[in-house]
């Protein structure tokens, strides 16, 4: 079953300045991220289920391609 849009909460964040009004399309670690490798795994799981659009707790939304690249960078850095 493809899921399309997901409410990803604090798996990623985007934007800077109050309300995330600048650099909205660029993912970054959310406040208080503790385990980047687990975040990468969770994002990859959602992608494998067909997630196309990620609605974030801070900033966003972001498309799947952007999230896929971000998850790859997190996994490599861990």
């Amino acid at each position: 079953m493809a899921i399309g849009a997901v409410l990803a909460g604090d798996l990623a964040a985007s934007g800077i300045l109050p309300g995330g009004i600048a650099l909205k399309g660029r993912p970054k670690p959310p406040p208080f991220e503790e385990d980047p490798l687990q975040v990468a795994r969770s994002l990859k799981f959602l992608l494998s289920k067909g997630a196309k659009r990620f609605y974030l707790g801070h900033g966003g939304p972001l498309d799947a391609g952007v999230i896929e690249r971000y998850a790859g960078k997190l996994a490599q850095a861990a």
Side-chain angles (χ1 to χ4, degrees):
M1 172 175 80
I3 57 177
V6 297
L7 181 58
D10 282 342
L11 287 175
S14 71
I16 61 170
L17 301 175
I21 61 172
L23 303 176
K24 294 184 217 181
R26 204 180 286 177
K28 64 180 184 179
F32 314 114
E33 178 184 279
E34 294 181 9
D35 189 345
L37 184 56
Q38 185 56 48
V39 169
R41 288 179 183 144
S42 295
L43 291 170
K44 288 179 180 185
F45 173 78
L46 292 169
L47 288 163
S48 77
K49 296 297 180 187
K52 301 288 183 215
R53 191 99 164 131
F54 289 72
Y55 292 88
L56 311 174
H58 304 274
L62 298 174
D63 290 329
V66 173
I67 292 293
E68 187 171 16
R69 288 187 296 278
Y70 177 66
K73 288 178 184 177
L74 284 176
Q76 285 179 340

